[in-house]
Amino acid sequence: MRDNFKKALNNIVRHGDTDIFPFPFERYLFEQKMEETLDILESYHSNIEDAIALSPPLIIVELSQVGYYGFRQATLIEPFWNAYFLGLVTSIAEDIEKKRIKEDEKKVFSYRYEWNDTTGSLFKDTTWIDYKKQCVENSKSYKYVLQTDISNFYPRINHHKLENELKRIDIGNTVTKNIMRLLSAFSGTISYGLPVGGPASRILAELALNHTDFHLKSREIVFCRYADDYTIFCESESDAYKKLILVSEKLSNDQLGLQKDKTKIMTSEEFREIHLFLDPQPDTVISEDEQKLLNISIRFDPYSATAVDDYEQLKEAVREIDIIGILSREVNKTRIDQTVTKQAINAIKALTTDNQVQAIKILLDQNNLVTLSPVFTTIMRSVRSIYEELNSEGQELVDKSLILLFNTESFLTKIEMNISYIIQILSIRHSAEKEALFIKLFETPINHFIKRQIIVSMSNWNCHYWLVDTKNNFPTLTNWERRAVIYASYFLGDEGKHWRDHNKKLLNKEESLIKDWCSQRKQANQNILV
């Protein structure tokens, strides 16, 4: 299993724990203390019950905005347990992939497993846009299109059904048993639901839909699926209703159902009209820039052997497109096209410095943020990626805009996921105003991940007076904050050393590793990034 745990750690180091939350700082520890971390993960595997008792797999569940008025729950798993969970699933991921409908049939596009040693990636490079393009192509041969998705998919996946599927793959059953034990711990002993946000759950979720996929295929129904989105192609409106009944019936056998508000039967012409960006026509009135943008792959791997050349090619491609114009057009709509807007936001990193500042002015304008609220975390990730490259004027613009959100009590600051991303950016440069804001936030009822972000920030800012008080509460804190307090102790001089010596016996094996790592970071004058 050690090789599978190593794959999991390499994936986390390169790509992060989740695509929803900011990445926990443990990913840097995993990179620098790989062998020691592997020893801990193997100790979990040798006796999972003792491991859970000694180091409970704490999770943080928060709301993530979907569209303008919707929210879904997202899960951040304690990093060591997240790595263990991913290692378990990775050990059988190839066998799961073999059970799925083959990729070359162009039916199922989401999360096709293929481990890549060079990039540390788990999945082939197929995207939601690839899925949509195939749907557009298929629609040209049919008169009607049924579009639907599964309601509350991840939280409704039945553990018993999933366990049965896993047992058909995992002959020894050891991996299955430990996966199910973890799912039980994550869900609070409720017998359904997968944590939302990480690749391990994505692999398991694909297995959960295998039955329905094969039911559709065996009836020669032409369909495409990406995660919980189904697009089914039909000869008539009556045919579409029949297929809707069938897919509803097969999903209900697995205690899943369709979202009635997102279920639509439309003509193929209507379907292609909605997806014009993906099917450029000679006489189209749609902007050529949007079409170009959607045809660019903006995935950039800084670890690649050709990273420099790849980045130069990306910059050249992006700078041929009027990204500022695209963003300006989107914010002037009543509702943005999220696919186009996200692609434009992700392209900002490849713009010139002047254009980056211009883009930020558009994105962080208080009036525009209402229109852009469905992609707020995408904006924050993009701003974070370029913040340190901005000139002082650009950084000051970002800081003032984000602080203003709190001062005006913007609805965006009522979503804790958003607060995590804002703190990540504000933590980079110190100011008295930020310090006061962070202390105020810490004293409000917020999640443990945000609290530890603040502890790390206040440590990096050498706020001695505040850190002294915080360390005194160490025994009552969760694992999330305790690790940040260990880090903070290295900013307290002899007082911190005395505290570490006094509390040495209270540390579990994960915290002892954190302590050694923090010591090395401090000696090398390397702060932990929030």
Side-chain angles (χ1 to χ4, degrees), residues 51-64:
I52 287 174
L54 292 169
S55 303
L58 300 181
I59 61 169
I60 291 173
V61 180
E62 286 299 335
L63 292 179
S64 173

Side-chain angles (χ1 to χ4, degrees), residues 151-388:
S151 176
N152 211 21
F153 176 42
Y154 278 63
R156 298 304 308 171
I157 290 175
N158 184 285
H159 287 181
H160 300 304
K161 297 271 186 181
L162 181 62
E163 184 176 14
N164 290 337
E165 291 299 312
L166 287 169
K167 283 179 176 178
R168 293 186 183 99
I169 292 168
D170 175 31
I171 305 303
N173 201 25
T174 303
V175 170
T176 296
K177 186 178 75 172
N178 285 5
I179 287 174
M180 300 316 299
R181 179 65 185 89
L182 274 185
L183 291 180
S184 176
F186 296 152
S187 65
T189 69
I190 297 171
S191 61
Y192 51 84
L194 292 177
V196 177
S201 290
R202 293 192 179 107
I203 293 168
L204 295 177
E206 292 297 321
L207 179 62
L209 288 179
N210 228 18
H211 271 176
T212 302
D213 288 345
F214 274 98
H215 275 298
L216 295 178
K217 178 187 172 181
S218 68
R219 288 163 174 79
E220 298 184 341
I221 293 172
V222 178
F223 74 98
C224 293
R225 178 175 69 77
Y226 193 94
D228 56 356
D229 288 330
Y230 277 97
T231 305
I232 300 173
F233 305 92
C234 314
E235 298 291 353
S236 65
E237 195 169 5
S238 174
D239 182 38
Y241 276 108
K242 288 177 184 175
K243 288 171 180 173
L244 174 60
I245 292 167
L246 174 70
V247 73
S248 298
E249 176 190 309
K250 298 310 174 188
L251 287 169
S252 70
N253 290 339
D254 292 326
Q255 283 78 56
L256 297 170
L258 298 174
Q259 290 203 52
K260 60 180 181 181
D261 294 338
K262 290 189 177 181
T263 299
K264 298 175 184 176
I265 294 173
M266 65 192 92
T267 66
S268 293
E269 289 78 9
E270 288 174 310
F271 180 79
R272 288 195 293 277
E273 181 80 20
I274 294 169
H275 298 88
L276 266 178
F277 287 156
L278 302 176
D279 187 31
Q281 303 297 318
D283 301 325
T284 183
V285 296
I286 300 300
S287 168
E288 185 182 347
D289 277 329
E290 276 86 343
Q291 291 173 1
K292 280 184 181 177
L293 179 63
L294 290 176
N295 285 326
I296 294 175
S297 174
I298 301 183
R299 294 185 177 187
F300 172 67
D301 182 7
Y303 293 91
S304 166
T306 58
V308 174
D309 290 340
D310 293 346
Y311 190 48
E312 289 305 316
Q313 289 174 15
L314 174 61
K315 285 196 293 187
E316 186 177 335
V318 167
R319 289 175 185 179
E320 289 180 359
I321 301 170
D322 182 10
I323 300 295
I324 304 301
I326 291 173
L327 292 173
S328 298
R329 287 192 287 276
E330 288 298 323
V331 297
N332 282 311
K333 295 178 180 179
T334 306
R335 292 190 173 203
I336 59 171
D337 182 313
Q338 289 190 48
T339 304
V340 171
T341 306
K342 283 183 178 180
Q343 188 83 332
I345 292 167
N346 290 330
I348 289 171
K349 186 170 178 62
L351 297 178
T352 63
T353 303
D354 288 345
N355 281 342
Q356 285 178 340
V357 173
Q358 200 175 347
I360 287 170
K361 284 180 180 177
I362 295 170
L363 294 172
L364 296 186
D365 179 276
Q366 302 296 300
N367 295 319
N368 291 345
L369 278 173
V370 176
T371 307
L372 293 166
S373 61
V375 294
F376 183 76
T377 56
T378 304
I379 294 170
M380 292 296 97
R381 284 194 291 264
S382 180
V383 171
R384 174 65 186 88
S385 72
I386 64 172
Y387 183 92
E388 287 165 287

Side-chain angles (χ1 to χ4, degrees), residues 119-178:
T119 64
S121 63
L122 294 165
F123 304 116
K124 291 185 179 180
D125 193 19
T126 53
T127 66
W128 185 84
I129 290 176
D130 296 324
Y131 154 68
K132 281 296 185 182
K133 284 183 176 179
Q134 185 62 46
C135 289
V136 169
E137 191 59 35
N138 287 355
S139 73
K140 295 174 183 177
S141 303
Y142 291 84
K143 294 180 181 178
Y144 283 84
V145 176
L146 164 61
Q147 194 166 314
T148 188
D149 69 17
I150 300 169
S151 176
N152 211 21
F153 176 42
Y154 278 63
R156 298 304 308 171
I157 290 175
N158 184 285
H159 287 181
H160 300 304
K161 297 271 186 181
L162 181 62
E163 184 176 14
N164 290 337
E165 291 299 312
L166 287 169
K167 283 179 176 178
R168 293 186 183 99
I169 292 168
D170 175 31
I171 305 303
N173 201 25
T174 303
V175 170
T176 296
K177 186 178 75 172
N178 285 5

Side-chain angles (χ1 to χ4, degrees), residues 28 49 102 119 132 139 301 320 410 438 466 513 515:
Y28 302 108
E49 292 301 334
K102 301 301 180 218
T119 64
K132 281 296 185 182
S139 73
D301 182 7
E320 289 180 359
S410 165
F438 281 17
W466 187 84
L513 181 57
K515 180 176 73 69

